[in-house]
Amino acid sequence: MSPIMQQFREIETCIECSASRHIQVPEVFYYAQKAVLHPTAPLFDQESQTLKPRCVRALKRIFILCDHDRDGALSDAELNDFQVKCFNAPLQPSEIVGVKKVVQEKLSEGVNERGLTLTGFLFLHALFIEKGRLETTWTVLRKFGYNDDIKLADDLIPPVKRAPDQSVELTNEALDFLKAIFDAFDGDGDGMLRPRELEELFSTAPESPWTGVPYEDAAEKNAFGGLSLDAFLSEWALMTLLNPTFSVENLIYIGYPGDPSSAIRVTRRRRLDRKKQQSDRNVLQCYVFGPRKAGKSALLNSFIGRPYSESYNPTTEDRYAVNVVDISMENKKYLVLREIPEDGVRKLLSNKESLASCDIAVFVHDRFDESSWRTSSELLVEIASHGEDTGFEVPCLIVAAKDDLDSFPMAIQESTRVSQDMGVEAPIPISVKLGDFNSMFRRIVTAAEHPHLSIPETEAGRSRKQYHRLINRSLMAVSGMPVLG
């Protein structure tokens, strides 16, 4: 049996049995049950004989939660509290001494004058697993809310209920916590979280939540890949907007001390914002439409501090960029730009509620290229029509990119006609290449804050409104007629 288990490390147990002779039949069912209830694979890498990364990160979080005085070690009292919480039985003083002695003999840095260190705590669990006592580690993980995937169980994360045109934001309580966390992990005090510091911050989560799309390249970074406080909070704003449950889950992982439901708030419905002619959101989402090569990606790159590049790399999937926009000393908003490729518009509009989460839409065109303008204006009509049909109308702005180039003939007349016909502002000229943005990002935020303005109106929409007004007048006239008889 031993050679087989040495060759195939994934085999947890080998046992000889015989049903006809009743040899070790109960043991077969015992080990089968154990393999299901307390599996080795999520916790331990048999090849390297080490704890798996996700297990290490979960145990580190548990250690920190039990280290009440935050001195980096579990004292005898803290060890006893841990034992009672997990196993409903205290440790005798002699047992505590015995545990620390076992660790110290194998790993000198596992114990110090203050108690059992994180290294020692992890060593203990690796030892339990090596000796086949997986139920010990699984009991600890489950007592602290972890499921079989070594992630927090769903019932520990409050559900978020909202209408399609409502969004979710972090509360001031959560933002204050994140600011304190930022300062705590900014080890060199330079006002930036470098990748190493950010990895340490998320070292108690199953993995860093900002690896890969849409978060990895969404915020402004310095030359070393570091995030300022504004960029750090911008990433959290984006994650909370796109996936509030995931955001709350990660707040819990990094030590948010309050009730998880106190970390987020659901905003007022956008439909009501339009009626009240004002938005109270702190996080605003702007959809960026336009044809290929219009300058959408360049716009997003400039928003997060990236240098202008002449090379063209087509965007094939939706992409996000987020940053802080200062309107005034007291008014600071998080603006999320969502770039939608030209080929992605049809897919977007196949969902009736696709514009429900949009606070404002921007239509970019290359002012040098007449076909670019034509496509952009067609997209404007298409989006406006979709908003009218679904009831999710959004303010819209037109952006004339590449202002460093001459405009095509009749550009002013054409843009004036479309702006007047649809009831939106004249195009905002910008040049990403020259760094001239004409206060565009502030203008986007200001328009989003007043959602009753800048809403385009199509010919079909105007006709529909006139028809409804005519019907209403007719009904009022009928209701005011005297009754004969």
Side-chain angles (χ1 to χ4, degrees):
M1 293 291 183
S2 183
I4 295 175
M5 293 189 70
Q6 287 293 325
Q7 185 179 355
F8 302 100
R9 293 281 192 175
E10 66 273 16
I11 297 175
E12 294 186 16
T13 308
C14 274
I15 185 169
E16 292 183 352
C17 70
S18 171
S20 64
R21 297 180 184 178
H22 301 282
I23 299 172
Q24 296 203 105
V25 174
E27 284 80 355
V28 171
F29 288 100
Y30 167 75
Y31 283 111
Q33 185 182 46
K34 185 177 179 181
V36 173
L37 296 177
H38 308 115
T40 304
L43 306 182
F44 200 71
D45 188 323
Q46 296 283 15
E47 286 293 328
S48 62
Q49 291 290 289
T50 56
L51 295 171
K52 286 193 172 179
R54 189 174 281 192
C55 179
V56 170
R57 295 164 85 98
L59 290 173
K60 181 178 180 180
R61 174 175 172 265
I62 291 168
F63 178 90
I64 292 170
L65 290 173
C66 295
D67 181 19
H68 303 304
D69 56 11
R70 298 289 187 269
D71 66 350
L74 297 183
S75 64
D76 290 359
E78 289 168 338
L79 263 176
N80 194 56
D81 290 344
F82 166 78
Q83 175 75 13
V84 170
K85 177 179 176 65
C86 294
F87 304 102
N88 300 316
L91 285 170
Q92 296 302 316
S94 60
E95 292 175 311
I96 293 176
V97 171
V99 167
K100 291 195 289 188
K101 185 178 179 182
V102 167
V103 174
Q104 201 158 28
E105 285 175 353
K106 300 284 186 180
L107 199 70
S108 59
E109 64 269 28
V111 178
N112 62 23
E113 67 278 3
R114 295 187 297 276
L116 185 71
T117 65
L118 173 60
T119 305
F121 185 72
L122 294 174
F123 170 79
L124 263 183
H125 283 280
L127 192 63
F128 290 144
I129 293 169
E130 285 175 10
K131 291 187 175 183
R133 292 174 54 190
L134 289 101
E135 65 276 6
T136 301
T137 300
W138 274 116
T139 299
V140 170
L141 290 168
R142 285 167 179 155
K143 278 289 183 180
F144 281 86
Y146 287 89
N147 59 22
D148 289 351
D149 296 320
I150 318 186
K151 298 177 74 174
L152 287 177
D154 292 342
D155 57 2
L156 294 179
I157 303 163
V160 181
K161 296 180 179 179
R162 65 188 190 279
D165 62 341
Q166 289 179 296
S167 58
V168 182
E169 301 176 353
L170 293 172
T171 60
N172 289 333
E173 187 177 345
L175 289 170
D176 289 343
F177 165 76
L178 289 172
K179 290 172 186 176
I181 282 286
F182 181 95
D183 291 337
F185 283 88
D186 181 17
D188 51 11
D190 65 348
M192 304 291 291
L193 282 186
R194 299 192 179 206
R196 175 180 46 80
E197 294 168 331
L198 196 63
E199 175 57 37
E200 181 61 24
L201 188 153
F202 285 119
S203 64
T204 50
E207 45 269 323
S208 174
W210 298 342
T211 301
V213 293
Y215 308 111
E216 188 167 17
D217 295 318
E220 185 170 359
K221 296 178 181 178
N222 67 9
F224 303 102
L227 295 174
S228 67
L229 177 60
D230 276 347
F232 177 70
L233 295 178
S234 293
E235 286 274 29
W236 278 99
L238 176 62
M239 183 161 64
T240 308
L241 178 75
L242 299 182
N243 194 341
T245 303
F246 187 54
S247 185
V248 171
E249 182 180 354
N250 278 280
L251 279 171
I252 297 171
Y253 286 133
I254 65 172
Y256 182 70
D259 182 340
S261 61
S262 71
I264 54 173
R265 76 177 189 100
V266 177
T267 64
R268 191 168 63 193
R269 296 190 65 169
R270 288 178 174 84
R271 194 169 295 176
L272 190 55
D273 284 346
R274 287 196 294 275
K275 287 183 179 178
K276 292 187 174 290
Q277 302 185 357
Q278 188 175 5
S279 170
D280 65 347
R281 299 169 199 277
N282 296 313
V283 182
L284 299 165
Q285 181 166 204
C286 171
Y287 286 12
V288 181
F289 296 98
R292 295 179 192 86
K293 298 186 179 182
K296 301 187 298 297
S297 296
L299 184 66
L300 267 71
N301 287 337
S302 67
F303 186 51
I304 53 177
R306 295 186 183 173
Y308 173 77
S309 172
E310 292 281 1
S311 63
Y312 173 65
N313 296 304
T315 303
T316 56
E317 298 290 338
D318 286 11
R319 179 194 160 201
Y320 293 87
V322 58
N323 213 334
V324 170
V325 177
D326 292 310
I327 303 300
S328 65
M329 290 290 289
E330 300 80 21
N331 189 8
K332 182 169 78 172
K333 301 291 184 182
Y334 296 97
L335 177 61
V336 174
L337 300 182
R338 177 184 176 184
E339 179 185 355
I340 298 164
E342 183 182 353
D343 293 341
V345 174
R346 180 170 303 218
K347 179 182 175 183
L348 176 79
L349 299 186
S350 65
N351 178 2
K352 182 181 176 183
E353 297 172 345
S354 57
L355 296 180
S357 59
C358 176
D359 292 293
I360 183 168
V362 164
F363 296 82
V364 183
H365 70 275
D366 176 353
R367 70 192 300 270
F368 178 73
D369 184 350
E370 186 174 359
S371 65
S372 179
W373 157 252
R374 194 179 308 114
T375 302
S376 184
S377 57
E378 288 169 358
L379 285 170
L380 172 61
V381 173
E382 191 174 1
I383 297 302
S385 298
H386 187 80
E388 290 170 346
D389 292 342
T390 61
F392 297 118
E393 298 163 300
V394 295
C396 294
L397 295 177
I398 303 172
V399 173
K402 306 181 185 180
D403 193 39
D404 48 289
L405 302 175
D406 293 331
S407 60
F408 67 88
M410 300 294 291
I412 294 176
Q413 293 91 327
E414 280 291 306
S415 60
T416 301
R417 179 185 62 79
V418 170
S419 300
Q420 290 179 347
D421 285 352
M422 301 200 70
V424 297
E425 286 185 40
I428 304 168
I430 67 164
S431 172
V432 175
K433 184 176 182 178
L434 300 179
D436 179 9
F437 296 102
N438 206 356
S439 302
M440 187 191 60
F441 300 119
R442 286 188 179 184
R443 290 166 80 165
I444 290 173
V445 170
T446 301
E449 285 183 313
H450 302 90
H452 61 297
L453 303 174
S454 303
I455 294 179
E457 195 172 40
T458 65
E459 187 63 41
R462 268 194 297 275
S463 299
R464 193 181 298 123
K465 284 183 180 178
Q466 288 172 356
Y467 174 75
H468 286 307
R469 279 197 290 267
L470 182 62
I471 292 295
N472 288 335
R473 285 198 200 100
S474 300
L475 290 173
M476 289 173 65
V478 170
S479 63
M481 289 177 63
V483 178
L484 303 176

